[in-house]
Amino acid sequence: MTRARSRLWPALVFAISGGLVFAQDLPGRSETLPPGKNPHLGNKESIRAGMALYRIRCADCHGLDAAGYRGPDLVTAIAGGLTDERLFQTIRKGVPGTEMPAATTSPDDDLLLLIAYLRSVGTVAAPESPGGDVENGGRLFASQCASCHRVAGRGGRIGPDLTRIGIARSRSALVREIRTPSEWIGPSYETVTLVTKDGQRIRGAKKNEDVFSIQVMDSRERIQGYLKSSLQDVVYEKASLMPDFGPGRLNDKDLNDLVGYLSTLRGSDMTVR
Amino acid sequence: MRAFLTIVIGTLTVVALGAQQAAAPQVTSQDLLGGLKDPSRWLTYGGDYNGHRHSPLTQITPDNVNQLVSQWTFQTGTLGSFQSTPLVVDGVLYVTGYNNNAWAIDARSGRSIWRYRRNLPEDLRNCCGPVNRGFAALGDRLFMATIDAHLLALDMKTGGVLYDVELADYKLGYSATVAPLVVKDKVIVGIAGAEFGTRGFIDAYDVQTGKRAWRFYTVAGPDDPGGKTWPPGDAYQRGGGSIWVTGTYDPQQNLIFFGTGNPGPDYYSQAREGDNLYTASLVAIDADTGQRRWHYQFTPHDVHDWDSTQVPVLGEIPINGQPRKVVMFANRNGFFYTIDRTTGKPIVAKPFVETTWAKEIGPDGRPVMLPGHLPDEDGSKTCPDLGGGTNFMSPSYDPTSRLFFVTARETCAVYYAWEQKFKPGEQWESGGTIRPKDQKNFGALRAIDPATGQMKWEFRYTSVSSSGVLTTASGLVFAGDGEGNIMAFESRTGKNLWHYQLGFPVRSTAGTTYMVDGRQYLLVPAGSVLTAFALPQR
């Protein structure tokens, strides 16, 4: 391969070298979906080529079956109505504030091949129906979750914003992440306790870190950076700040209702009119 | 009249002297052989033909390095990040950048003198971004490989193109990112693009005319020695073996050393049964003829994308009381090797990161394989990941302390493989990888004793790093982490002495150091910015 070539390097290539490159600076790299029909849609060979590209560039986060791994469930998202334009722009520009990098240097054709493959996958599964008592789920969310999670601009900020979680996660992923949140903790939400030189303990979510400094949001939602040389200790915890919502804490029916409610969260228009 | 004649003669004399000065070559073959003998300059990718990246400069020391302050920054104004090692010739920096931009820059002030920008074709494809690792220099010429697989000679004074040679057809996936290596009257360059099913090679071109002198294929053909390590047919035509990191040169043996890339396709074993020579190998080639003298294959039949395109570092070290001429090689496959550079036989081979695929390197030089590491459609977990134990980032060797310094990566991946139909010009890897969900990768700067392969010390980073390493005779090691810090360490102990947050990780190099007007500078490329550090002026 080459250089650090990149496969793993999708992450690296796009994030590192691509991080400073913009599509409009390279020929054949459009920022929006090129006009006309995607010539690869439904074409068997193209779909296979798109699958190879997908596996190399996307599967690390979205899973080999595109059903979500570290990153969102694309099968559900596509079956739920994600447009080609939105797909193209998401791949091209990435998603700010997430691990999704911008594919700034890839030719348009690569993106069209990926879309053709994802379309072929996305038509396999029908969108999951919300299920459960959504109203009860909403009440549960307000009482159990909203102090840490935000939806449409309301709620806590120490946990991930869930405004679009219905698009980003499958039902099974939501169940897993509610029941056993420590199984996988996303970047920017790992639990850390900082011990200051005078013995004060600051527990929170790690936002960033290098050898010499660490940045956290503490339980009072205060964001702050610390020089490690000014700390007595940094304790990395394996458990999520989010407690396990096991059956004793959230019975199966309530879980079903809560997941039903979360599945309805598909974004919010925040425009001031 | 007499006064007029005097002025005319005087003017002509000045012009003639000026012309004479301009004609003097700035970089001679002798200069290149001297390496960093004149440490105010930095004339080759690795600083010298040995690839040591070890400067004799001693103004910046372990005692004062924490006083380093930035003197100037140069912003390219372009997009994409540096992977280039800047050359320094008499107070002027020559540096290549993303998308085959290049600059000459005043080393004192950071002000641009000229800029070159290549018009790249619209249908260009490459696996890993249009990066470039730097210039080579000879006479008044600079040599640059381009991402569309050409070799350029540029006028050092103006950046104007003196010649432009096509190495291979970029439409088939060939590309070039390596900093060329000038040896005598030849400029030596390698080709990349193995993930597109290409056949790798190393070429030598006449520095004056650009005419090709020889070609060495890194994938043996059917009638070549080693040809039977490929399946019958034309698999060798797609056999990979990229070259994208600069080699080294031993003038006494007149041998050049290059590490070669992995075989193609990357992961799908059944497409290319056999050892797949000379991929994932170290090759020793006669500098005049391009004939292979010997080879050592690190990873026979590699299926994990572990190119051996790391820098082969040359040294002379005592082993068991005997002085040995060796090549030191920290390989992407996770093993560190010390190899006899006259025979190609390994003397030392030890893991320098966690390796799960081989128990050890056997007495015959071949890895003793462990079961369960052949990628397939179900996936198999192996350490290190495809980025390897180290990669394109340059190591450094301090011949005084006899320590080898390398940026190590502690990683694992689940490797998958599947059959993929080959189509010329399309990416053809037949597999991919996924990071295990619970995998916590990290990087470290490690000091290795090449006589034993033992690690002497390490400094751990928060995440993996792609920074190279630079050492100085004052006992300093410079390296960067994955978070954008450039750091200085005491070479004997690994104690961190200084750091500066650059805002973007250093990649490939840790920069160069040079001297201008009596001041030692540390020059670090990171992102699209060059930052020059020096001690405060008293």
Side-chain angles (χ1 to χ4, degrees):
Chain A
M1 102 166 90
T2 166
R3 168 187 91 190
R5 285 134 52 140
S6 301
R7 256 57 90 26
L8 151 160
W9 311 99
L12 287 177
V13 166
F14 295 150
I16 294 174
S17 38
L20 293 175
V21 186
F22 298 97
Q24 67 268 26
D25 295 299
L26 297 169
R29 277 76 169 172
S30 312
E31 288 210 312
T32 55
L33 185 70
K37 188 173 180 289
N38 181 347
H40 301 300
L41 282 179
N43 181 300
K44 204 174 164 187
E45 286 241 331
S46 294
I47 289 169
R48 189 159 174 83
M51 181 186 73
L53 278 173
Y54 172 85
R55 288 183 168 186
I56 293 163
R57 298 185 176 178
C58 318
D60 191 41
C61 287
H62 295 287
L64 264 187
D65 57 1
Y69 191 49
R70 269 183 287 272
D73 173 354
L74 299 177
V75 177
T76 302
I78 287 172
L82 190 59
T83 65
D84 284 5
E85 181 68 63
R86 185 73 177 269
L87 258 175
F88 188 94
Q89 291 199 34
T90 303
I91 301 169
R92 175 64 79 205
K93 298 174 183 173
V95 181
T98 73
E99 278 194 310
M100 175 70 186
T104 47
T105 60
S106 295
D108 287 351
D109 203 50
D110 279 8
L111 274 60
L112 296 174
L113 286 168
L114 280 170
I115 289 170
Y117 168 65
L118 290 172
R119 283 264 161 252
S120 75
V121 175
T123 55
V124 173
E128 293 172 274
S129 60
D133 180 344
V134 172
E135 274 194 27
N136 183 46
R139 282 193 295 274
L140 284 165
F141 182 84
S143 63
Q144 303 279 327
C145 316
S147 61
C148 294
H149 291 286
R150 207 165 184 80
V151 170
R154 299 177 66 184
R157 287 170 285 205
I158 198 161
D161 189 317
L162 302 182
T163 304
R164 297 174 67 242
I165 197 68
I167 292 171
R169 291 288 189 281
S170 66
R171 187 180 180 82
S172 59
L174 286 171
V175 168
R176 188 177 68 237
E177 291 178 6
I178 293 168
R179 287 285 193 225
T180 55
S182 299
E183 193 177 306
W184 180 73
I185 305 169
S188 294
Y189 298 100
E190 292 165 299
T191 310
V192 69
T193 296
L194 312 181
V195 186
T196 62
K197 289 268 169 76
D198 59 6
Q200 187 193 347
R201 298 177 77 85
I202 302 156
R203 192 160 185 258
K206 187 179 81 177
K207 294 297 166 187
N208 208 348
E209 182 184 20
D210 68 6
V211 174
F212 307 102
S213 70
I214 188 163
Q215 294 73 36
V216 300
M217 176 184 282
D218 68 17
S219 51
R220 289 187 292 157
E221 296 190 351
R222 199 175 47 165
I223 54 170
Q224 190 73 59
Y226 298 84
L227 294 177
K228 289 182 179 175
S229 58
S230 69
L231 296 171
Q232 188 184 123
D233 198 8
V234 178
V235 182
Y236 302 90
E237 300 176 34
K238 288 189 176 169
S240 170
L241 285 167
M242 175 172 160
D244 285 359
F245 282 83
R249 189 167 193 154
L250 188 72
N251 65 41
D252 286 349
K253 184 198 172 295
D254 282 351
L255 174 68
N256 193 44
D257 294 348
L258 180 58
V259 169
Y261 166 73
L262 293 173
S263 301
T264 66
L265 301 178
R266 293 171 172 267
S268 178
D269 184 356
M270 302 294 282
T271 310
V272 176
R273 292 187 173 87
Chain B
M1 185 65 176
R2 178 169 294 178
F4 174 74
L5 279 176
T6 305
I7 290 167
V8 169
I9 291 166
T11 305
L12 287 173
T13 307
V14 169
V15 170
L17 279 174
Q20 196 176 10
Q21 283 166 359
Q26 286 195 264
V27 179
T28 66
S29 292
Q30 202 58 37
D31 292 335
L32 296 180
L33 282 168
L36 290 167
K37 203 171 171 181
D38 175 357
S40 68
R41 302 168 127 200
W42 189 284
L43 301 179
T44 64
Y45 181 69
D48 59 25
Y49 276 141
N50 294 315
H52 283 183
R53 286 183 186 261
H54 178 76
S55 169
L57 293 175
T58 55
Q59 190 176 86
I60 302 169
T61 69
D63 289 333
N64 65 23
V65 68
N66 64 359
Q67 296 169 40
L68 280 180
V69 287
S70 65
Q71 302 298 306
W72 53 258
T73 55
F74 175 82
Q75 303 214 28
T76 62
T78 67
L79 303 162
S81 58
F82 278 119
Q83 286 198 16
S84 176
T85 297
L87 301 186
V88 187
V89 185
D90 306 332
V92 179
L93 310 172
Y94 300 94
V95 61
T96 65
Y98 209 74
N99 273 327
N100 293 143
N101 285 278
W103 298 265
I105 298 164
D106 176 6
R108 293 174 176 83
S109 65
R111 299 293 296 165
S112 173
I113 296 170
W114 56 250
R115 175 181 173 184
Y116 169 78
R117 180 179 178 182
R118 183 167 181 79
N119 288 323
L120 293 168
E122 289 196 5
D123 53 350
L124 188 66
R125 283 189 175 196
N126 60 81
C127 72
C128 314
V131 299
N132 190 277
R133 306 226 155 71
F135 281 123
L138 185 70
D140 292 333
R141 293 177 174 215
L142 297 165
F143 303 95
M144 177 169 78
T146 71
I147 196 66
D148 56 340
H150 284 235
L151 171 67
L152 304 180
L154 302 185
D155 184 334
M156 198 181 267
K157 310 284 187 186
T158 65
V161 177
L162 299 173
Y163 63 67
D164 178 337
V165 181
E166 185 188 56
L167 303 173
D169 185 355
Y170 75 86
K171 290 184 178 176
L172 297 176
Y174 286 99
S175 58
T177 57
V178 66
L181 175 72
V182 170
V183 173
K184 295 189 272 192
D185 60 348
K186 295 182 179 63
V187 54
I188 293 156
V189 66
I191 200 76
E195 29 297 291
F196 290 83
T198 58
R199 184 187 183 195
F201 56 80
I202 301 166
D203 277 355
Y205 294 87
D206 185 285
V207 292
Q208 293 302 325
T209 65
K211 192 179 169 196
R212 193 166 90 198
W214 52 255
R215 169 167 291 182
F216 172 79
Y217 279 107
T218 56
V219 177
D223 300 326
D224 298 332
K228 291 196 166 34
T229 63
W230 291 88
D234 62 354
Y236 75 98
Q237 296 280 18
R238 308 182 285 277
S242 289
I243 299 290
W244 35 274
V245 168
T246 309
T248 48
Y249 173 58
D250 175 353
Q252 286 183 328
Q253 294 192 90
N254 197 36
L255 284 182
I256 56 171
F257 302 91
F258 270 88
T260 65
N262 65 296
D266 301 64
Y267 305 102
Y268 188 61
S269 169
Q270 294 92 318
R272 47 174 177 80
E273 296 290 354
D275 278 357
N276 309 136
L277 287 172
Y278 299 95
T279 63
S281 299
L282 174 64
V283 291
I285 299 170
D286 185 287
D288 294 335
T289 65
Q291 294 295 306
R292 179 181 56 87
R293 185 86 59 86
W294 56 255
H295 74 277
Y296 172 69
Q297 190 172 39
F298 299 102
T299 319
H301 190 70
D302 169 65
V303 287
H304 295 106
D305 196 7
W306 289 330
D307 303 71
S308 292
T309 44
Q310 291 76 56
V311 178
V313 180
L314 310 184
E316 295 181 21
I317 58 173
I319 297 179
N320 298 327
Q322 298 296 314
R324 304 286 294 267
K325 291 179 187 298
V326 301
V327 182
M328 295 165 277
F329 205 106
N331 196 289
R332 191 161 164 170
N333 70 13
F335 282 84
F336 172 84
Y337 301 80
T338 300
I339 296 165
D340 186 313
R341 78 168 184 257
T342 61
T343 65
K345 305 292 180 199
I347 304 166
V348 172
K350 289 222 170 116
F352 68 101
V353 295
E354 183 188 7
T355 55
T356 61
W357 63 282
K359 185 181 167 207
E360 60 189 359
I361 306 302
D364 59 355
R366 294 178 70 89
V368 180
M369 307 296 286
L370 292 169
H373 294 282
L374 194 63
D376 57 21
E377 291 204 354
D378 297 326
S380 58
K381 183 182 171 184
T382 298
C383 312
D385 72 0
L386 86 161
T390 190
N391 202 299
F392 56 101
M393 44 282 214
S394 296
S396 180
Y397 175 67
D398 179 344
T400 307
S401 66
R402 297 199 192 104
L403 286 178
F404 182 95
F405 303 94
V406 63
T407 297
R409 304 173 72 257
E410 290 288 0
T411 59
C412 303
V414 178
Y415 289 79
Y416 293 88
W418 55 82
E419 188 172 13
Q420 183 187 344
K421 192 176 168 188
F422 171 74
K423 283 175 83 173
E426 288 192 3
Q427 208 149 341
W428 185 60
E429 300 180 33
S430 281
T433 70
I434 291 183
R435 190 171 71 232
K437 212 167 187 177
D438 56 352
Q439 179 68 32
K440 292 284 185 190
N441 295 339
F442 68 93
L445 173 64
R446 289 184 175 157
I448 297 171
D449 177 356
T452 62
Q454 298 294 324
M455 185 173 76
K456 290 294 186 185
W457 56 255
E458 72 165 350
F459 185 90
R460 286 199 182 195
Y461 303 147
T462 308
S463 65
V464 293
S465 165
S466 297
S467 167
V469 188
L470 167 72
T471 58
T472 69
S474 60
L476 286 171
V477 184
F478 294 96
D481 65 10
E483 281 72 40
N485 289 297
I486 179 73
M487 293 168 281
F489 305 88
E490 187 177 57
S491 63
R492 194 170 45 83
T493 62
K495 182 185 174 190
N496 178 250
L497 301 171
W498 171 78
H499 71 274
Y500 182 93
Q501 175 57 245
L502 295 160
F504 202 86
V506 193
R507 289 171 61 73
S508 184
T509 173
T512 51
T513 185
Y514 60 89
M515 201 84 159
V516 185
D517 298 336
R519 295 182 84 194
Q520 182 185 353
Y521 288 80
L522 169 70
L523 179 73
V524 188
S528 56
V529 176
L530 297 172
T531 307
F533 299 92
L535 297 171
Q537 281 183 305
R538 304 288 177 198

